[in-house]
């Protein structure tokens, strides 16, 4: 959809990346470390000072301690973390539970390891987890459950009951968990992100995957991390070593220094809530139906009451005729299930959001 947006000069609210630059100070820090000669390979697990800062951040945000030497690994993007974690534990014939709609890298990673994806749909309209369905999907071959909160594409955020129920399900099973938490600092309306690491049962069997790119508006840097218990980290690093080996050195040192000021991530929810609210106010002038996103920088809208048109066709038409690009939510389902939903990314400049909303208000069916 991004290419289609470019081809037709549309405002791109499809792909999930910020439409604005990062803090200039962060760029200055990268330049500083480049000029200081930090341009050779970083240690495979990440530069120690960044892993230390990440351990401190984790303790501050979640009250959980990780050993920066043996339980924290810096990687080339959260997608690499997800892939390495899957590959570390999934073997041929293992079943992996995927809650869909799901980010599109999950299933390919499972299949490349010889695993069998078991698709469990989230409940509509709020995209909460049907835990009875999850429990009934577990068999003696289940090796892994992949979860995502805040959720892409729906913006749903887990609560404490979700963590407790998942813990009850896996505590007597030989089942691991991968938790995709790249939007951990983008939650709204006073909610708190409840990382799976905060539950003692889950902490001992979970790979928590995060993203500096999503948090600090530098998705093009492809830099993320994985937090996991010592024994899981050993297996994770065996894969990471032969995927990318290490991640850009000056970026790591720059992020380590940047993390010294906690307000740079603690204030992020308010920054994105302002953008979400601006976008919602404009959506109220359209014919779409929606529930405000609880987290992430995505907002879904429903159009089934307006037309029988497929979500893919509508997304293409919006891009070509109206000049606003979105993502049809059916692409997040293995069977391309069409619930008549579109996903918009509101991590854009206010001006771009306002122009997009003006265009959407003129849409007719």
């Amino acid at each position: 959809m991004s290419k289609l947006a470019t081809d037709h000069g549309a405002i791109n609210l499809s792909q999930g990346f910020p439409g604005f630059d990062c803090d200039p100070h962060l760029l200055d820090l990268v330049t500083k470390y480049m000029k200081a000669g930090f341009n050779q390979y970083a240690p495979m697990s990440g530069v120690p000072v960044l892993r230390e800062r990440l351990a401190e951040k984790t303790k501050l945000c979640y009250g959980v301690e990780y050993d920066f030497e043996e339980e924290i690994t810096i990687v080339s993007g959260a997608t690499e973390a997800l892939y390495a974690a899957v590959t570390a534990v999934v073997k041929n014939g293992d079943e992996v539970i995927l809650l869909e709609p799901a980010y599109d890298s999950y299933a390919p990673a499972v299949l490349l390891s010889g695993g069998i994806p078991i698709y469990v749909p989230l409940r509509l309209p709020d995209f909460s987890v049907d835990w009875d369905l999850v429990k009934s999907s577990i068999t003696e071959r289940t090796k892994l459950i992949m979860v995502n909160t805040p959720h892409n594409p729906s913006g749903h955020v887990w609560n404490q009951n979700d963590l407790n129920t998942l813990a009850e399900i896996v505590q007597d099973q030989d089942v691991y968990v991968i938790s995709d938490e790249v939007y951990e600092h983008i939650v709204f309306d006073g909610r708190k992100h409840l990382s799976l690491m905060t539950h003692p049962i889950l902490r001992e069997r979970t790979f928590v995957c995060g993203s500096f790119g999503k948090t600090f508006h530098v998705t093009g840097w492809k830099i993320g991390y994985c937090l996991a218990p010592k024994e899981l980290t050993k297996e994770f690093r065996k894969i990471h070593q032969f995927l990318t080996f290490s991640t850009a050195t000056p970026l790591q040192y720059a992020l380590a220094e940047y993390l010294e000021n906690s307000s740079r991530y603690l204030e992020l929810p308010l920054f994105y809530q302002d953008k979400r609210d601006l976008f919602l106010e404009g959506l109220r002038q359209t014919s779409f139906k929606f529930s405000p996103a609880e987290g992430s920088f995505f907002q879904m809208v429903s159009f089934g009451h307006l037309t029988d048109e497929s979500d893919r066709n509508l997304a293409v038409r919006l891009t070509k005729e109206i000049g606003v690009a979105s993502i049809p939510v059916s692409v997040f389902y293995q069977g391309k299930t069409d619930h008549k939903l579109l996903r918009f990314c509101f991590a854009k400049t206010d001006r771009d959001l306002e122009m997009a909303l003006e265009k959407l208000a003129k849409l007719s069916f």
Side-chain angles (χ1 to χ4, degrees):
M1 292 304 297
S2 287
K3 183 180 185 304
L4 190 67
T6 299
D7 290 346
H8 291 271
I11 299 170
N12 189 0
L13 305 188
S14 59
Q15 192 174 354
F17 62 86
F20 40 82
D21 209 351
C22 65
D23 182 350
H25 179 58
L26 182 54
L27 300 181
D28 291 341
L29 289 175
V30 174
T31 301
K32 167 186 168 180
Y33 285 103
M34 284 182 170
K35 289 184 175 180
F38 292 86
N39 298 303
Q40 307 310 320
Y41 292 125
M44 180 269 289
S45 58
V47 299
V49 66
L50 178 55
R51 287 183 282 126
E52 286 186 76
R53 294 293 88 76
L54 187 52
E56 292 167 0
K57 170 182 173 294
T58 303
K59 178 68 180 299
L60 173 66
C61 291
Y62 308 116
V64 179
E65 294 186 359
Y66 279 88
D67 182 339
F68 79 90
E69 288 283 12
E70 299 186 305
E71 297 184 312
I72 296 178
T73 309
I74 306 302
V75 296
S76 298
T79 300
E80 187 208 336
L82 294 166
Y83 182 88
V86 169
T87 309
V89 297
V90 175
K91 303 297 183 288
N92 192 52
D94 288 342
E95 293 180 349
V96 179
I97 292 179
L98 305 180
L99 308 177
E100 62 173 4
Y103 179 55
D104 59 6
S105 82
Y106 297 174
V110 172
L111 292 168
L112 284 167
S113 287
I116 303 169
I118 304 297
Y119 299 97
V120 176
L122 296 171
R123 285 187 295 221
L124 298 178
D126 63 352
F127 292 87
S128 60
V129 181
D130 184 336
W131 289 113
D132 289 336
L133 191 54
V134 171
K135 188 173 182 178
S136 67
S137 300
I138 293 178
T139 72
E140 61 182 13
R141 293 187 295 176
T142 304
K143 179 60 67 175
L144 177 68
I145 301 175
M146 298 186 72
V147 305
N148 175 210
T149 181
H151 182 249
N152 173 21
S154 73
H156 180 74
V157 174
W158 280 25
N159 57 39
Q160 189 62 50
N161 182 64
D162 290 309
L163 271 65
N164 293 343
T165 306
L166 177 58
E168 290 172 4
I169 290 173
V170 301
Q171 64 180 342
D172 296 323
Q173 307 279 349
D174 184 22
V175 174
Y176 298 103
V177 180
I178 294 176
S179 186
D180 179 351
E181 302 184 15
V182 298
Y183 302 104
E184 60 180 315
H185 296 297
I186 309 178
V187 290
F188 310 131
D189 305 317
R191 292 181 178 84
K192 290 185 178 181
H193 168 63
L194 300 178
S195 175
L196 267 65
M197 70 177 74
T198 60
H199 196 292
I201 292 174
L202 298 177
R203 190 230 188 274
E204 292 308 311
R205 62 181 72 215
T206 298
F207 300 87
V208 176
C209 302
S211 169
F212 291 119
K214 289 292 196 297
T215 298
F216 296 128
H217 324 314
V218 287
T219 58
W221 291 10
K222 293 299 291 179
I223 183 166
Y225 47 89
C226 180
L227 312 178
K230 178 180 176 179
E231 294 306 315
L232 294 186
T233 294
K234 284 182 180 179
E235 299 305 309
F236 177 93
R237 290 178 178 176
K238 290 176 184 177
I239 308 302
H240 163 64
Q241 180 175 3
F242 298 106
L243 280 178
T244 60
F245 179 71
S246 66
T247 299
T249 303
L251 302 185
Q252 293 195 52
Y253 280 103
L255 285 165
E257 184 169 338
Y258 196 70
L259 282 169
E260 291 175 2
N261 183 347
S262 62
S263 68
R264 290 168 174 149
Y265 49 86
L266 294 178
E267 294 177 1
L268 197 62
L270 291 178
F271 171 80
Y272 272 116
Q273 182 165 328
D274 285 345
K275 290 191 174 296
R276 184 207 63 170
D277 291 349
L278 184 157
F279 193 61
L280 294 183
E281 184 59 32
L283 282 179
R284 293 186 179 97
Q285 310 310 311
T286 73
S287 301
F288 293 121
K289 292 182 179 180
F290 61 88
S291 296
E294 298 174 349
S296 82
F297 46 50
F298 301 115
Q299 176 63 50
M300 292 204 312
V301 301
S302 172
F303 64 88
H305 59 294
L306 301 170
T307 177
D308 289 330
E309 191 172 5
S310 73
D311 63 353
R312 185 185 183 282
N313 286 347
L314 180 58
V316 170
R317 183 162 72 86
L318 281 178
T319 305
K320 291 181 176 180
E321 299 178 9
I322 302 297
V324 180
S326 61
I327 294 288
V329 173
S330 62
V331 302
F332 295 95
Y333 286 91
Q334 182 268 340
K336 301 298 182 284
T337 306
D338 184 0
H339 291 298
K340 310 300 181 189
L341 297 167
L342 299 177
R343 188 200 76 177
F344 293 101
C345 175
F346 53 80
K348 308 297 176 182
T349 65
D350 289 358
R351 180 57 182 150
D352 277 350
L353 292 176
E354 290 164 352
M355 290 192 298
L357 289 163
E358 289 176 8
K359 292 175 179 291
L360 291 173
K362 298 175 183 177
L363 177 65
S364 59
F365 291 88

